[in-house]
Amino acid sequence: MKNRRTILKAGLLAGGGLLFAGGNYYRQQQNARKAAGQWALFLDYSDLARATGRSLLKQTPEWQSLSVVSMLEQFLQRLQIKATSLQAMSNDELLAFLQARVRMDFIEESVVFSDGWLLSKTEAQLCVLASLSDGLDPEKT
Amino acid sequence: MFVDARQLDSGQVIDADLCIIGAGAAGITIAREYIGSSIRVALIESGGMAYDETTQSLYEGENIGLPSFDLNVNRLRYFGGTTNHWAGHCRPLDPIDFESRQWTPHSGWPINRSDLDPFYVRAQPIVGLGPYQYDDLGYWQDEIGSPALALDENRLNTVVYNQSPPTRFGPVYEKELQDAENVTVYLNANVLEIESNQDATQVTGLKLACIEGPPLSVSAQVYILATGGMENARILLLSNKTNPAGLGNNRDMVGRFFMDHLLLRPGAEISLSDPQTDYSLYSALHRVHDSQMFAILASPEGLLRREKLNNFRLHLLRRPPRYSQPLGRVFSRIDGLKEEAKQLDANPLRQKNRDVASLHLVLEPTPNPDSRIQLSSRKDLFDQQKIEVNWQTLDRDLHNARRALELAALEFGRLGLGRAYADIFGGAQRWPNNLEAGRHHCGTTRMSENEQTGVVDKNCKVHQLSNLFVAGSSVFPTIGYANPTLTIVALALRLADHTRAMLTRSSA
C-alpha cells in the first residue's frame, strides 16, 4: 500500500497538470476530482469534512456554479501557488502554504459561517473540494 | 448590638445620627466603618439572621420585559443580604467604564476610576481577597505555571479575576457589629416609606413596620438607602406622600436605566484541534498564597474604542459541547498538530466531549431609559405596591455579543487552537434562547452630574434631597463587565468617608 504522503503528492501533481494539460472535459474533471481528493488528505475526519463542504456549497451560490476545475483553480490562486510549481514542492511545503493562508484568513477576517461554525475561507474551500471529490477514495487510486 | 424590632414598643422612634437601610454588602460595609466612632448608627434590616419565607415574599415581583429570573429567588432578604448566596467573583471596573463613550448612549460616570482606586484597595480584604494585584498577570502566573494564550492584544487579552471565598457578610461581620457600642442593627424592621419635608428636599424620618410586630419610626440626621439594585428604586417610588412621583424623582429617572449583565453560557464553543491544549489558567481556580484567582479573556480598551463596542469578558471552561461534530479536529493538521500527537478517536461523537472549550460571554449592556423598574398594581403583605421589571436590550447589544464571540473565534483560529461554533454566528437577528441576566441589578438610581440625567450625584447623594444617600449597584450609570460586589463595597467605603465628614462637621 502506498503511504499517505506519496499518494498526496501524486494527486497534487495530477491536479497541477490538469490546469494546463488541456484534453477533453471528462478527463479534466476526473483529474480535478482526484486532485481535490488529494488536497482533502490534509483534513481529518473526511466524512465530516465532506459534509461541511456540501453544506458550504449549498449556502454559497457563487461556488455552486463552479466546476471542480474552477474551484481547484480558485483554491490554488488563494494559496498563491502556481500550478506549475506544484511538482517542485514537498508536502510539508504545501502544508506550510495552507497553514500560512489559513492563519492570514483569521487575521484578515476572511471567514465564512457555516451551520454555526466560523471557518477561514481557505479551509472552507478545502472542505468544498473534499466534498467535490466525493466518490473517490484517494487511498485506492 | 442587635435588636429584634418586633420586641420594641409600638410607635417607638429609633433615634440615630446615621440610619442605614439594608444590611447587605453596602450597608454592613458602611456600618463597620463607623464602629468605635462617636456617631450613633442604626442599621435597619428587613429580615432576621436567617432566611424566612414570609419576609422573602416581600421581594416578589413580575418580569414584563425580557425573560429574566425569579425576583424572589436571586435576591435574599435577611442579614447579609444577597452576599448570603453570591458567587464571589471580583474585579474592579476598568477605567474606560467610567468614561462618557460617544458610541455608548447615556454612558459616563461623574467620577473616574482613579477616584475609586484607593477604595478598591480597601475593599479587597473586606470581601476576603488577598493582595490587590489585578494588573500583574505575572504575579499569579509565576506561582501557577499554566500558560496564557498568545492572544493578539488588539483583539483580546488575558485578565486576572479574583475569587472571594465567597465572604458571607452576615456571618463574617455579625460579631463585630454585635460588639459595637455605637452601632445597632434592627432586625425584622421593614421600611415602608421615607418621609420628607413639604417640598421633598430633606428626609425627616422613616416609617417602619414588622410582619408580626409594632409600627415604628426612625429619626436621624443622615440616611443611606442600601437595599439593592431593585429595592432602592422601589422604596423611593413608594415614598410618594410629598412628591407623587416618588422621592428624588422630579425628572422621572428613578427606576429607569435598569441594567444587568447579558450572559450567554455558552456563547460559543471551541472544538479544539489538539486535545492536549492547556487552558487551565482560565478554566480552573488557582490558589496562590492566601488568594484564589482565575483568568478570563477580556476586551482591550483599544478594541472598544476602535470598534465602538461595549465592554465584555469571556470565561473559558470545560463543559460538554452542544455541537454535534468536532469540526476543529478536521483541521488538526492545518493547525500544526503532529501525526503522533493526534490520538484520533474513530468515533467523532466520543471525541467531541474531550476536545471542547466552552466560552461564556458576559457583556456590558447599553444603558437604556426604557429598561426600567416600576410599581405594579399588585400589593405585598404590607399593602405596598410590588415591582414589575421591564428588562430590555438594544440591537447594538446583540451586535456587541456577536462581535465579542467572533473575535474569540478568530483568535482561536489564528492560534491554530480550534474552530468556534455559536448560535449567534451568521447574522442572527435575535438573542439565542440561552440569554440570561447576570443577576446584577444596576442603574435604577444612576449617578450623574445633574438631576436631568440621573438620581444621585458623585457623592451618591440624591440630587433633590440634602440628607439622603444611596449605596449599591443602583447608582452605577454603566456596569462594564466586572461583577459588581467589589465596586459596591468600594463605593460604600467612599460614601462612609463622605458621610462621616458630613456628620462630623454638623456635630462641630
Side-chain angles (χ1 to χ4, degrees), chain B residues 3-10 12 14 45-50 52 54-55 186-190 208-216 382:
Chain B
V3 171
D4 185 342
R6 295 172 299 188
Q7 308 305 318
L8 298 177
D9 295 334
S10 181
Q12 185 170 330
I14 295 166
E45 169 55 42
S46 165
M49 295 304 290
D52 171 74
T54 310
T55 304
Y186 293 90
L187 298 172
N188 305 302
N190 296 279
L208 306 184
C210 305
I211 290 175
E212 287 177 350
L216 305 164
F382 291 118

Side-chain angles (χ1 to χ4, degrees), chain B residues 114-378:
Chain B
S114 58
D115 293 316
L116 270 193
D117 279 340
F119 300 99
Y120 274 130
V121 175
R122 281 168 58 185
Q124 190 83 350
I126 294 172
V127 291
L129 302 174
Y132 188 78
Q133 289 281 9
Y134 290 96
D135 294 333
D136 185 3
L137 181 63
Y139 168 86
W140 305 94
Q141 267 197 295
D142 289 348
E143 298 289 331
I144 297 164
S146 304
L149 299 177
L151 298 162
D152 173 353
E153 294 202 347
N154 288 309
R155 284 180 168 166
L156 289 175
N157 52 22
T158 296
V159 159
V160 174
Y161 235 81
N162 276 191
Q163 172 69 48
S164 166
T167 298
R168 310 286 178 216
F169 277 53
V172 169
Y173 296 118
E174 176 186 347
K175 177 145 192 340
E176 268 184 42
L177 292 169
Q178 178 72 51
D179 294 345
E181 288 178 9
N182 64 317
V183 178
T184 307
V185 182
Y186 293 90
L187 298 172
N188 305 302
N190 296 279
V191 175
L192 300 187
E193 186 176 0
I194 302 172
E195 297 174 315
S196 68
N197 61 356
Q198 204 89 78
D199 51 359
T201 55
Q202 185 175 14
V203 174
T204 53
L206 302 180
K207 191 174 157 190
L208 306 184
C210 305
I211 290 175
E212 287 177 350
L216 305 164
S217 60
V218 177
S219 174
Q221 291 181 58
V222 171
Y223 299 81
I224 297 175
L225 185 56
T227 58
M230 291 183 171
E231 203 68 1
N232 281 351
R234 182 188 180 212
I235 291 176
L236 289 175
L237 292 171
L238 285 171
S239 303
N240 56 6
K241 286 259 174 60
T242 49
N243 181 352
L247 268 189
N249 198 28
N250 288 350
R251 304 284 178 166
D252 187 24
M253 295 299 285
V254 174
R256 289 194 182 273
F257 294 97
F258 171 72
M259 288 178 287
D260 203 332
H261 284 123
L262 298 160
L263 267 55
L264 290 174
R265 301 188 294 180
E269 290 155 297
I270 309 297
S271 170
L272 296 170
S273 310
D274 180 355
Q276 308 301 322
T277 303
D278 179 3
Y279 58 92
S280 59
L281 183 66
Y282 308 83
S283 63
L285 191 60
H286 304 278
R287 180 171 285 282
V288 176
H289 306 305
D290 291 334
S291 305
Q292 295 183 97
M293 71 78 70
F294 55 91
I296 56 161
L297 307 176
S299 42
E301 193 175 302
L303 168 83
L304 302 181
R305 295 190 193 285
R306 197 171 59 249
E307 298 206 14
K308 304 188 186 327
L309 298 173
N310 285 2
N311 218 341
F312 65 85
R313 75 175 196 257
L314 293 156
H315 294 261
L316 196 50
L317 302 166
R318 223 170 250 289
R319 297 279 188 277
R322 298 189 308 167
Y323 55 72
S324 59
Q325 303 278 4
L327 199 56
R329 297 307 302 269
V330 167
F331 307 108
S332 289
R333 195 184 309 261
I334 294 172
D335 286 343
L337 193 64
K338 301 291 180 212
E339 192 75 34
E340 59 274 17
K342 280 163 70 177
Q343 302 172 6
L344 287 176
D345 194 312
N347 181 345
L349 293 177
R350 206 162 48 226
Q351 186 73 49
K352 74 171 185 175
N353 287 320
R354 293 219 316 259
D355 304 348
V356 66
S358 191
L359 280 168
H360 290 196
L361 172 69
V362 180
L363 176 70
E364 174 189 26
T366 305
N368 174 6
D370 295 328
S371 179
R372 65 187 302 192
I373 288 171
Q374 293 168 280
L375 297 179
S376 81
S377 54
R378 300 187 185 194

